[in-house]
Amino acid sequence: MRIGVVGGGQLARMLAMAAYPLGMQVTVLDASSDASAGQVADLVHGDFSDRKALGRLADASDVVTFDFENVPAASADWLAARVPVRPGARALEMSQDRIAEKELFTRLGIPTPRFAPVDGTADLEAAISVTGLPAVLKTRRLGYDGKGQRVVRDMSSAMEAVEQLGSGLVLESFVDFERELSIIAVRGMGGEVAFYPMVENLHRDGILRHSSAPATATAHAQDARDAVERLLVELDYVGVFTLELFETTDGLLANEFAPRVHNSGHWTIEGAVTSQFENHLRAVAGLPLGSTAPRGASVMVNFIGSMPDADKVLSLPGAHLHDYGKRPRPGRKLGHATLNAPAAEELDPVLARLITIARG
Ligand SMILES: Nc1ncnc2c1ncn2[C@@H]1O[C@H](COP(=O)(O)OP(=O)(O)OP(=O)(O)O)[C@@H](O)[C@H]1O
Ligand SMILES: [Mg+2]
């Protein structure tokens, strides 16, 4: 089986590494010639809308998937006319526009923060009357790692934020959550669904810092699974799917979904019977899914902006280091480490040391 991946970042790299034992051949498409996944898989160098490059990817693949959802719809459609594309173009499209995504949540009865479109300062008063204050102003498209977002606390900071972000925005209520959770599922070609345990995520400045799995008990796990099931069926989805959630005292609110493997699932490489990467490949290749059961407790820490000393990380008990081979840049995800232990209590002291090491 030859797998094509649109996008050659660390997610594609980890997909490629999971593909080798399965005897799969991976080709990635990326605009950068030193793409992370290009170090471990064949690279087609080109833009996501470059038809020549897309054609080379299609020719090299029996099935095409994505490590990045912001692929132009025209490119996804063009590929789909030539090779099976999983998940399909509709899942990508829905995840590309925060308003389409939130309307989909609402239509499926999945609670989400109150929201309103904003295309200029003239819309602000009406939007704030829907969301209240504080609120978060976000670009509808192309945001990631908290980029293109501003928390607004009053009319004047809202005006300023609109001036900075431009048009094509959405204002949403600021959620005073207890914690952030995510749930990762995989759906096979026959419609079978398996769920990983819920993950607790800590973000700072809009970027994921740590993920702990399984999350300590939540009263809302069934609500999360129900929401994901509805989305998977609605999107006729195949592959790994992630729903990001805010847990509040009144229950869960859906933040956004990712039609792909997810940073909050990296722990599954060492911490689950079958990793999210292997299960995504199994799903898109039409193979049986593997067990999503956790092996004990895991915590993953992202390395952002700089890589720590490998010696120090690897001296910690139960630590696994992943270096994506990316050039350092402030705010860039360069690698991660996962700690595993039979029980969560054993992780705490080691996590504290890992966090210190990660800060340099
Ligand atoms: N309405 C909100 N209320 C409170 N916090 C929020 C809200 N929206 C976003 N955040 C915070 O900012 C983080 C990033 O937001 P969001 O997931 O919308 O952005 P993103 O840029 O698409 O991030 P990524 O792609 O990295 O998940 C959230 O995980 C959360 O910590
Ligand atoms: Mg997010």
Side-chain angles (χ1 to χ4, degrees):
M1 193 93 185
R2 299 169 312 149
I3 310 284
V5 186
V6 181
Q10 64 267 20
L11 301 179
R13 178 186 176 105
M14 289 183 269
L15 280 170
M17 287 165 66
Y20 283 115
L22 297 171
M24 295 171 173
Q25 183 70 38
V26 174
T27 305
V28 305
L29 169 64
D30 202 279
S32 125
S33 55
D34 66 347
S36 173
Q39 298 164 13
V40 302
D42 292 334
L43 172 71
V44 173
H45 181 213
D47 203 83
F48 295 152
S49 49
D50 172 350
R51 290 287 153 88
K52 256 222 201 81
L54 291 167
R56 281 170 54 211
L57 183 71
D59 289 345
S61 310
D62 298 312
V63 56
V64 167
T65 188
F66 305 89
D67 99 325
F68 181 69
E69 57 272 40
N70 292 313
V71 171
S75 301
D77 291 340
W78 193 88
L79 281 169
R82 282 155 186 84
V83 59
V85 169
R86 300 182 187 127
R90 182 141 179 277
L92 290 184
E93 216 177 296
M94 288 292 142
S95 70
Q96 286 176 0
D97 177 354
R98 293 187 192 277
I99 289 185
E101 189 177 32
K102 287 178 164 51
E103 282 170 348
L104 177 66
F105 289 147
T106 306
R107 189 150 51 77
L108 297 178
I110 300 167
T112 191
R114 292 187 305 276
F115 65 97
V118 172
D119 286 306
T121 49
D123 298 338
L124 269 179
E125 211 169 296
I128 290 172
S129 74
V130 174
T131 62
L133 286 170
V136 187
L137 188 69
K138 302 182 180 180
T139 54
R140 284 175 72 158
R141 294 179 174 275
L142 297 173
Y144 71 98
D145 288 348
K147 293 182 174 53
Q149 302 197 11
R150 300 282 184 280
V151 176
V152 303
R153 304 198 176 274
D154 49 40
M155 188 50 117
S156 79
S157 69
M159 299 276 251
E160 202 176 301
V162 173
E163 272 148 25
Q164 286 166 358
L165 296 177
S167 62
L169 310 175
V170 57
L171 189 70
E172 58 183 64
S173 303
F174 182 88
V175 181
D176 189 17
F177 51 76
E178 301 286 303
R179 58 179 178 166
E180 288 191 84
L181 298 169
S182 58
I183 182 162
I184 300 180
V186 55
R187 186 164 189 253
M189 294 246 298
E192 67 281 21
V193 176
F195 290 99
Y196 286 95
M198 292 186 78
V199 183
E200 181 169 339
N201 300 312
L202 188 108
H203 293 78
R204 200 172 61 243
D205 301 329
I207 306 188
L208 181 65
R209 306 288 158 159
H210 331 152
S211 292
S212 306
T216 53
T218 161
H220 312 292
Q222 193 55 48
D223 293 342
R225 286 194 288 265
D226 289 346
V228 170
E229 288 259 16
R230 270 174 267 161
L231 288 159
L232 292 172
V233 170
E234 169 70 21
L235 297 170
D236 197 15
Y237 197 88
V238 176
V240 164
F241 179 95
T242 309
L243 182 62
E244 298 178 8
L245 297 155
F246 299 125
E247 187 176 53
T248 74
T249 46
D250 300 326
L252 298 176
L253 294 174
N255 173 26
E256 61 175 353
F257 72 83
R260 54 169 167 76
V261 290
H262 194 262
N263 194 171
S264 69
H266 291 357
W267 66 273
T268 62
I269 295 175
E270 295 91 4
V273 174
T274 314
S275 78
Q276 63 167 346
F277 301 100
E278 177 172 344
N279 257 335
H280 184 70
L281 293 164
R282 289 186 187 214
V284 301
L287 296 168
L289 304 180
S291 165
T292 50
R295 309 186 209 248
S298 302
V299 58
M300 185 234 42
V301 174
N302 273 337
F303 299 131
I304 296 163
S306 64
M307 280 302 288
D309 189 347
D311 253 317
K312 288 188 181 153
V313 174
L314 294 174
S315 71
L316 299 174
H320 301 274
L321 177 65
H322 297 255
D323 183 328
Y324 308 148
K326 288 162 69 173
R327 240 196 289 260
R329 201 194 297 147
R332 195 174 200 207
K333 289 176 179 167
L334 302 177
H336 74 266
T338 300
L339 303 173
N340 293 119
E345 306 77 67
E346 296 165 49
L347 290 175
D348 294 339
V350 194
L351 174 61
R353 285 163 64 195
L354 177 56
I355 290 170
T356 310
I357 293 167
R359 288 202 189 114

